[in-house]
Amino acid sequence: MSATSEVKEAVMEQDSATVWKTVHRVVFPTDGDTDTLPLYVDFNAAQRVVDEQHRTERAGAGTTAVVAQHRAQRSDFIVDRRQLQLPAYRRVSFGTYFNAFPASYWRAHTDVAQVRLVVEVDGDATVVIYRSNARGTSNRVESIQVGADEPASIDLPITAFGDGGWYWFDLVALDTDVTLQRAEWAVPQPEGFEPGSISIAVTTFNRPDYCVRHLSTFAESEELLDVLDRLIITDQGTQKVRDQDGFDEAAARLGDKFTLLEQGNLGGSGGFARGMHETVNDGRSKYVILLDDDVLVETEGILRAANFADFTRKPTIVGGHMFNLYERSVLHSFGEEINEYRYFWGPVTNTREAHDFSASNLRTTPWMHRRIDVDFNGWWMCLIPTSIIREIGLALPVFIKWDDAEYGIRAKAHGFRTVSLPGAAVWHMPWTEKDDTIDWQAYYHQRNRWLAAMLYSPYKHGGRMPRESFMVDVRHLLSMQYSAVALRLNALEDLLDGPSHLHSTIGAKLPEIRRRRAEFDDARVSKNIAEFPEVKRVKPPKRGIKPAPPRTLKGALIKAGTGALRQMRPARPEAGVQPEANVPAMDARWWRLSQLDSALVSSADGSGASWYKRDSDQFQSMLKRSMILHQRLLARWDTLAEEYQKALPEFTSQQAWAQTFENAHPAEGVGKSVL
């Protein structure tokens, strides 16, 4: 059967009494930012999706074919949030990240069998509908003529989108200018359908400007206000949101739809747990959307997440993707999974990080047409049904790190899936802009990864994770990053104390971590580089060969062995007077730093530098301590894992968290409910 016949048959079978629910509107940015424009409209409509393997073969063996993206972005074509004016004889495609319809996700997670495309224009034009398959190959479905008399609509089946694929359309102006007045994708509502309302929970620490921007963004979206019960901002900082310029005016616009809470700093997990707790107790919202404070929001994405959740077969966590706040057309994270043997997170297989839509649009990116399944979604934007919270509890009391990953894994263990939904996204600073594994967050990375592995790892003693944990300590020691190792070892000691430490230390641990870290030279960052002594090289590299990363396992072992032997010897006294080298953050690797007695190392964000100094006593004592702690954890793995697993329902319960909230007094002693 042809695609056209499928469409006609679907239309004939459709009950005329069916009510259609708009779930995905075609929208445009109105700020004139041409960096984000490729995410909404594609002005190079002549390009087509082709199979990636065939494309590479045509380009020649051993090469990668790159499709050049037409860069003539025209923000002046955009009239407003819903309208775009197209000059005569021009063609644009809406086969874009935000405006194509992710049919395969609706096929996989809902009972929806077809979608209706509605297009309204003010003149004569042609609408050409396309679909893709999981291999990224596009097919023309139908071409229809539209005019100013009435909106044109076409019903499209989604039953053949099992493994992947999108729908989209191109708009072609004929011999006169034409304005797209609206376009949207709708699905049939089942009998007795009741859409769910939402609460949005934001947790913040000293980012009051971002929070006021959230207030304004949500107040300006009438469609979002229609489904919003409450915006809950949990302020855990000392720079209060209520003191920010513009707060009163922005809060007044939301009125009783806004609640500001203040509590002591319990980290991201404590702030988001508070938002979950408040939403569940309030009882109005079917969903709570967890949202970072330092993000830019596409409000249509929030609506799409809620609409999608309304139609899933059972309660489902619906997450949004993350774009790069500094490179607006770059998709940083498309989907996350857990490698259970390493017990570490990473991008889903067959996806790519940092994809730039200004270089390759959706229609020319085959891998993005394959539907992916994720283990969790980051809490930069994540919708969670309140029914799931009631059943499995609130976030882990871990301050930061692994709270979002663990929640997705916990939900999956209870039979609830997570979907990272294309077309729902925020812009957020990518983690590549910082290295939080060597700052104060090293403690939380270490403890919480071990905790998650003890709770869920299917492998004996966590598979490769404990061995990898020890090797990370060795790598940091070879790099003279003693502060990171000190915090990682403290994390293992606390883990050995059992589950009771999680709630009891969540509000007090960070000051202790900062004090401990400040004792080490590598943790002291100076923003004034001129304060450091001049670099003095001790001797030139042997045979003029500069340090390079090892290319083989044997080479790595040799470098690590020679580096470890060097650590056993006292450092040259001169190295404590003048650093031996300047090392950029990107080059601050163990194979480079292990060859030095001291070095000036740039911070990851480029704002300053630290003076690393080799200390053989620290190296030996910390290495010994790491070996002992890892051995103790492995010896007690089964017992500890059972303790944490049995305690999980209690320490993620609303009752346990309520007590922690009660004890988390705001920095200024202000009442917990402010507005």
Side-chain angles (χ1 to χ4, degrees):
M1 181 182 294
S2 69
T4 302
S5 298
E6 284 188 77
V7 172
K8 290 180 178 178
E9 183 176 317
V11 173
M12 292 174 60
E13 292 179 354
Q14 182 61 45
D15 184 352
S16 60
T18 298
V19 176
W20 292 80
K21 165 75 172 176
T22 298
V23 295
H24 187 113
R25 303 179 309 156
V26 171
V27 294
F28 307 107
T30 57
D31 57 3
D33 185 354
T34 56
D35 286 345
T36 62
L37 207 52
L39 308 178
Y40 296 87
V41 58
D42 184 357
F43 291 91
N44 196 18
Q47 291 181 350
R48 291 287 173 266
V49 177
V50 295
D51 183 88
E52 189 169 29
Q53 180 180 352
H54 292 169
R55 182 198 306 166
T56 303
E57 289 172 353
R58 286 198 298 270
T63 67
T64 301
V66 178
V67 177
Q69 179 81 2
H70 187 61
R71 300 301 297 271
Q73 307 294 345
R74 295 293 301 269
S75 60
D76 56 306
F77 282 15
I78 296 173
V79 178
D80 59 25
R81 184 73 165 141
R82 301 293 306 278
Q83 298 186 82
L84 178 142
Q85 188 174 53
L86 192 62
Y89 305 113
R90 288 293 300 266
R91 176 173 182 155
V92 294
S93 177
F94 299 106
T96 57
Y97 175 83
F98 277 122
N99 284 328
F101 183 76
S104 64
Y105 291 82
W106 282 82
R107 172 70 177 87
H109 301 286
T110 77
D111 290 326
V112 172
Q114 57 188 320
V115 61
R116 171 173 290 179
L117 171 63
V118 180
V119 179
E120 183 176 349
V121 295
D122 69 349
D124 294 334
T126 301
V127 173
V128 188
I129 299 100
Y130 294 90
R131 59 154 294 176
S132 64
N133 58 26
R135 293 184 296 276
T137 302
S138 67
N139 297 288
R140 175 169 162 157
V141 176
E142 185 68 278
S143 177
I144 58 176
Q145 301 302 309
V146 295
D149 296 336
E150 61 181 24
S153 68
I154 182 171
D155 295 348
L156 304 163
I158 64 172
T159 51
F161 287 81
D163 294 326
W166 302 60
Y167 272 124
W168 68 86
F169 71 95
D170 290 4
L171 180 65
V172 185
L174 302 182
D175 56 359
T176 59
D177 295 356
V178 64
T179 298
L180 174 68
Q181 296 178 319
R182 70 180 177 100
E184 53 199 35
W185 303 86
V187 299
Q189 292 184 178
E191 186 176 351
F193 174 82
E194 293 185 8
S197 60
I198 64 173
S199 288
I200 298 175
V202 177
T203 181
T204 186
F205 181 84
N206 290 351
R207 289 194 178 106
D209 51 339
Y210 279 90
C211 292
V212 171
R213 184 171 62 192
H214 279 332
L215 290 171
S216 299
T217 297
F218 300 144
E220 291 168 1
S221 175
E222 295 182 5
E223 294 82 5
L224 183 56
L225 290 178
D226 287 341
V227 300
L228 178 68
D229 292 321
R230 280 202 302 173
L231 167 63
I232 305 166
I233 293 181
T234 302
D235 187 355
Q236 303 184 127
T238 56
Q239 300 171 26
K240 298 300 182 183
V241 174
R242 53 181 159 79
D243 294 332
Q244 178 68 23
D245 290 344
F247 169 76
D248 291 335
E249 296 83 355
R253 295 175 67 186
L254 283 176
D256 60 4
K257 287 182 178 287
F258 173 54
T259 299
L260 177 63
L261 305 172
E262 292 182 355
Q263 66 182 23
N265 187 14
L266 302 178
S269 70
F272 284 131
R274 184 68 183 271
M276 293 176 173
H277 180 72
E278 295 289 330
T279 302
V280 170
N281 285 349
D282 182 60
R284 288 180 291 169
S285 299
K286 188 175 181 179
Y287 313 113
V288 58
I289 294 182
L290 307 183
L291 194 68
D292 264 344
D293 55 354
D294 56 343
V295 297
L296 293 179
V297 180
E298 169 52 79
T299 54
E300 178 68 19
I302 291 179
L303 291 169
R304 290 173 185 174
N307 288 331
F308 183 81
D310 281 340
F311 285 87
T312 54
R313 296 186 185 94
K314 64 182 302 184
T316 300
I317 297 172
V318 183
H321 294 149
M322 190 185 98
F323 280 90
N324 189 329
L325 186 63
Y326 304 133
E327 297 178 272
R328 301 287 177 85
S329 62
V330 174
L331 179 63
H332 190 72
S333 175
F334 192 71
E336 303 289 323
E337 66 182 3
I338 299 293
N339 180 322
E340 291 185 311
Y341 188 60
R342 294 182 59 213
Y343 227 84
F344 203 67
W345 56 52
V348 171
T349 306
N350 298 317
T351 68
R352 300 176 186 177
E353 290 186 304
H355 175 77
D356 189 352
F357 281 97
S358 70
S360 180
N361 59 39
L362 174 66
R363 296 174 301 118
T364 55
T365 308
W367 66 264
M368 203 171 290
H369 293 252
R370 179 174 180 169
R371 194 197 79 248
I372 65 164
D373 297 319
V374 302
D375 289 326
F376 70 97
N377 199 96
W379 283 357
W380 47 76
M381 174 190 166
C382 191
L383 174 150
I384 305 176
T386 51
S387 60
I388 292 181
I389 297 173
R390 291 186 180 95
E391 181 169 339
I392 75 172
L394 306 181
L396 277 181
V398 292
F399 198 82
I400 57 169
K401 304 302 177 188
W402 282 90
D403 46 351
D404 48 10
E406 185 279 333
Y407 203 86
I409 302 165
R410 194 192 328 162
K412 187 176 181 179
H414 283 77
F416 301 112
R417 304 189 67 173
T418 298
V419 176
S420 291
L421 181 67
V426 296
W427 287 267
H428 187 276
M429 184 180 76
W431 44 82
T432 52
E433 297 296 322
K434 55 186 178 180
D435 187 356
D436 56 17
T437 63
I438 61 172
D439 65 11
W440 58 270
Q441 298 172 83
Y443 170 91
Y444 298 104
H445 274 290
Q446 175 72 326
R447 185 198 60 178
N448 300 348
R449 181 185 178 192
W450 274 83
L451 172 57
M454 285 185 168
L455 289 172
Y456 303 108
S457 176
Y459 294 96
K460 182 178 177 62
H461 294 169
R464 175 183 159 186
M465 194 275 292
R467 182 170 70 253
E468 190 172 292
S469 170
F470 175 71
M471 292 310 299
V472 170
D473 282 352
V474 173
R475 186 182 71 204
H476 285 313
L477 289 172
L478 290 173
S479 303
M480 300 179 283
Q481 293 164 342
Y482 305 117
S483 64
V485 179
L487 299 186
R488 287 169 55 83
L489 297 180
N490 183 214
L492 299 186
E493 290 171 337
D494 286 350
L495 193 73
L496 285 163
D497 285 342
S500 62
H501 85 278
L502 294 173
H503 273 288
S504 65
T505 65
I506 188 171
K509 191 66 183 180
L510 182 57
E512 176 189 329
I513 288 172
R514 291 191 183 278
R515 286 193 298 271
R516 178 69 175 122
R517 184 170 180 266
E519 298 171 3
F520 296 90
D521 291 324
D522 62 279
R524 301 183 188 124
V525 178
S526 174
K527 297 186 181 299
N528 184 3
I529 308 301
E531 292 181 352
F532 294 111
E534 289 290 330
V535 170
K536 183 178 180 180
R537 188 176 66 179
V538 176
K539 60 181 180 179
K542 188 176 182 180
R543 297 177 183 175
I545 301 175
K546 295 183 178 181
R551 300 191 178 191
T552 64
L553 176 60
K554 180 180 178 181
L557 292 174
I558 292 173
K559 280 183 178 289
T562 57
L565 289 174
R566 181 187 181 86
Q567 306 301 314
M568 298 297 181
R569 302 194 302 267
R572 298 185 187 92
E574 298 85 358
V577 179
Q578 288 180 285
E580 293 182 345
N582 273 316
V583 181
M586 65 187 72
D587 297 331
R589 302 293 182 261
W590 67 267
W591 47 265
R592 173 78 172 99
L593 294 173
S594 63
Q595 306 304 309
L596 300 169
D597 281 349
S598 71
L600 291 184
V601 181
S602 304
S603 56
D605 62 2
S607 63
S610 299
W611 189 356
Y612 286 20
K613 300 176 183 178
R614 186 165 68 79
D615 186 327
S616 61
D617 291 338
Q618 286 279 20
F619 177 87
Q620 294 179 61
S621 65
M622 286 187 171
L623 182 63
K624 180 179 179 181
R625 189 169 151 218
S626 177
M627 294 176 64
I628 292 172
L629 286 172
H630 280 86
Q631 289 171 352
R632 287 179 60 194
L633 280 164
L634 286 175
R636 294 185 55 195
W637 180 279
D638 293 338
T639 302
L640 275 174
E642 185 178 3
E643 286 181 23
Y644 280 105
Q645 290 165 11
K646 285 184 176 180
L648 177 64
E650 194 281 325
F651 63 69
T652 58
S653 68
Q654 284 194 267
Q655 294 77 13
W657 269 112
Q659 185 61 52
T660 297
F661 299 145
E662 184 65 27
N663 295 332
H665 302 296
E668 298 175 2
V670 181
K672 295 182 177 59
S673 181
V674 178
L675 181 67

